[in-house]
Amino acid sequence: MTFKRIPWNIAICDWNGTLLNDLELVYGSLKNIFKYFEKVPPSLETYQNEITADFLSFYRKHGIPADAEPELLNSIRKKYFKENDGNITLTDGAVELLETFLRFDLKIGIVSGEAKGYLRDERLKQFGIEKCFDFVHDGVSDKMGKFKELVKILEVNPKTIFYIDDSFDGIAAAKNAGITTFGFTHEGSYNSEEKIKAAKPDYIIKSLLEIIPIISKIE
Ligand SMILES: [Mg+2]
């Protein structure tokens, strides 16, 4: 006998800080950039409270010269990533969560600001999870626009799509398109718990596996 699990149709995940536990790496690269400019880096707490997709404004506010080229900052960041990538892992429960989505016959996608092509062609393969996903949108700088586009393309009630994200911006963007949201607040979240809660997600979770009982309810 099969149960129809209602109402979920599609699971969409953020990548950085959600499926990938990379906050430490990202914050390390920030410290490296500030070191390069001989500036004192903002604390991790400040970073988690203030960072948005517009990271340049954050860097400038905390002392990086306004005329520093984004390309230079990116090259310092990439070099640091390359040298320190060895210890990076998926977030606890990520694989089990994806397996559960597959078992539930959900369509699974990613919407991420991670560098275009890098996530799809390298990162997912690195962790052997590339086959889990029906769609991967990387290099997304405007999540709000992307979610609106997806809702149109996917042709399902947006409430039956859910999105998991560890940041205010991501949650706000999905909510704006009518998508159900899970605010993920854990040690590796890019934003503080307070900031994530301020986006008013439909659910707050502290571990990825907390999603399973919520979406398992049969209605
Ligand atoms: Mg994130």
Side-chain angles (χ1 to χ4, degrees), residues 8 97 100 104 208-218:
W8 311 114
L97 185 71
T100 306
F104 284 6
L208 287 177
L209 296 180
E210 285 176 29
I211 295 171
I212 297 175
I214 298 171
I215 62 162
S216 296
K217 280 185 193 146
I218 299 165

Side-chain angles (χ1 to χ4, degrees), residues 9-12 101 104-109 132-135 154:
N9 281 311
I10 299 159
I12 308 179
F101 291 166
F104 284 6
D105 258 338
L106 294 170
K107 209 177 236 189
I108 313 173
C132 296
F133 300 97
D134 296 282
F135 58 89
L154 294 167

Side-chain angles (χ1 to χ4, degrees), residues 14 16 18 165-166:
D14 168 53
N16 303 95
T18 298
D165 198 301
D166 66 315

Side-chain angles (χ1 to χ4, degrees), residues 10-219:
I10 299 159
I12 308 179
C13 310
D14 168 53
W15 177 247
N16 303 95
T18 298
L19 292 181
L20 188 67
N21 198 13
D22 65 345
L23 176 67
E24 211 174 303
L25 183 73
V26 168
Y27 183 64
S29 79
L30 173 142
K31 285 201 284 193
N32 217 37
I33 288 170
F34 277 74
K35 194 169 143 196
Y36 179 90
F37 289 98
E38 297 176 347
K39 302 283 180 192
V40 179
S43 69
L44 178 61
E45 204 188 340
T46 302
Y47 178 80
Q48 287 176 300
N49 271 316
E50 295 182 14
I51 196 70
T52 67
D54 181 13
F55 67 92
L56 266 183
S57 301
F58 174 81
Y59 279 28
R60 286 175 183 152
K61 180 184 167 192
H62 290 282
I64 299 299
D67 60 354
E69 294 289 336
E71 290 75 21
L72 171 63
L73 304 184
N74 266 329
S75 74
I76 302 169
R77 181 182 158 102
K78 272 190 191 151
K79 184 167 175 279
Y80 182 86
F81 277 16
K82 233 184 186 161
E83 289 165 358
N84 295 276
D85 198 49
N87 302 323
I88 204 165
T89 60
L90 292 175
T91 305
D92 284 348
V95 171
E96 197 179 333
L97 185 71
L98 292 171
E99 286 169 353
T100 306
F101 291 166
L102 288 170
R103 249 196 348 268
F104 284 6
D105 258 338
L106 294 170
K107 209 177 236 189
I108 313 173
I110 291 183
V111 171
S112 168
E114 180 61 278
K116 194 161 184 57
Y118 175 57
L119 172 55
R120 187 203 306 252
D121 302 330
E122 292 184 43
R123 272 300 198 213
L124 296 182
K125 286 179 186 158
Q126 180 184 342
F127 295 104
I129 55 171
E130 74 277 12
K131 290 198 171 70
C132 296
F133 300 97
D134 296 282
F135 58 89
V136 175
H137 296 283
D138 50 10
V140 177
S141 56
D142 169 23
K143 284 197 178 180
M144 207 172 274
K146 179 53 79 180
F147 284 125
K148 281 188 180 160
E149 183 191 313
L150 279 174
V151 164
K152 264 191 200 160
I153 296 169
L154 294 167
E155 291 184 320
V156 294
N157 177 350
K159 277 285 157 215
T160 69
I161 305 173
F162 64 87
Y163 178 61
I164 315 155
D165 198 301
D166 66 315
S167 73
F168 180 97
D169 285 358
I171 295 160
K175 273 188 69 143
N176 191 262
I179 291 171
T180 300
T181 48
F182 284 89
F184 182 26
T185 156
H186 65 123
E187 228 182 320
S189 292
Y190 276 43
N191 281 164
S192 63
E193 184 172 344
E194 198 186 353
K195 192 158 181 185
I196 290 168
K197 282 183 172 164
K200 298 200 170 65
D202 295 278
Y203 302 95
I204 289 274
I205 49 160
K206 298 198 178 221
S207 137
L208 287 177
L209 296 180
E210 285 176 29
I211 295 171
I212 297 175
I214 298 171
I215 62 162
S216 296
K217 280 185 193 146
I218 299 165
E219 294 187 354

